[in-house]
């Protein structure tokens, strides 16, 4: 993809989700993910997954304090 490198290291949850979507049709997705796991990438989106401290996490939390009471879905 001819995207800006910063996209893969987004600071916002929406930016991370956008980067993950870009990986959806990439033919190198599994190779990218395997390599990131081997290298224990410290952060960023690799192979459609979000890394933090060398491990895959489900989503990026927004900045600030967590809510005391969750918002009903």
């Amino acid at each position: 993809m001819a995207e800006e490198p910063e996209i893969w290291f987004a600071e916002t949850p929406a930016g991370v989700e956008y980067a993950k979507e870009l990986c959806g049709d990439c033919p190198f997705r599994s190779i990218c993910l395997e390599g990131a796991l081997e290298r224990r990438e410290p952060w960023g989106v690799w192979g459609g997954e979000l890394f933090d401290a060398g491990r895959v996490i489900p989503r990026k939390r927004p900045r600030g304090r967590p809510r005391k009471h969750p918002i009903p879905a």
Side-chain angles (χ1 to χ4, degrees):
M1 294 254 154
E3 302 289 344
E4 295 295 322
E6 295 83 24
I7 289 174
W8 312 111
F9 303 97
E11 293 292 327
T12 64
V16 168
E17 293 306 313
Y18 174 69
K20 289 167 70 173
E21 285 177 27
L22 290 175
C23 294
D25 295 330
C26 180
F28 301 104
R29 183 177 179 172
S30 62
I31 294 169
C32 181
L33 179 58
E34 288 173 23
L37 289 167
E38 284 179 19
R39 294 186 305 273
R40 296 185 48 86
E41 285 293 341
W43 67 294
V45 174
W46 298 89
E49 299 293 340
L50 175 61
F51 279 73
D52 184 32
R55 61 187 173 83
V56 174
I57 60 173
R59 69 187 58 85
K60 183 174 185 76
R61 289 184 40 197
R63 292 183 184 189
R65 239 175 134 171
R67 296 179 182 273
K68 286 185 177 181
H69 305 286
I71 297 175

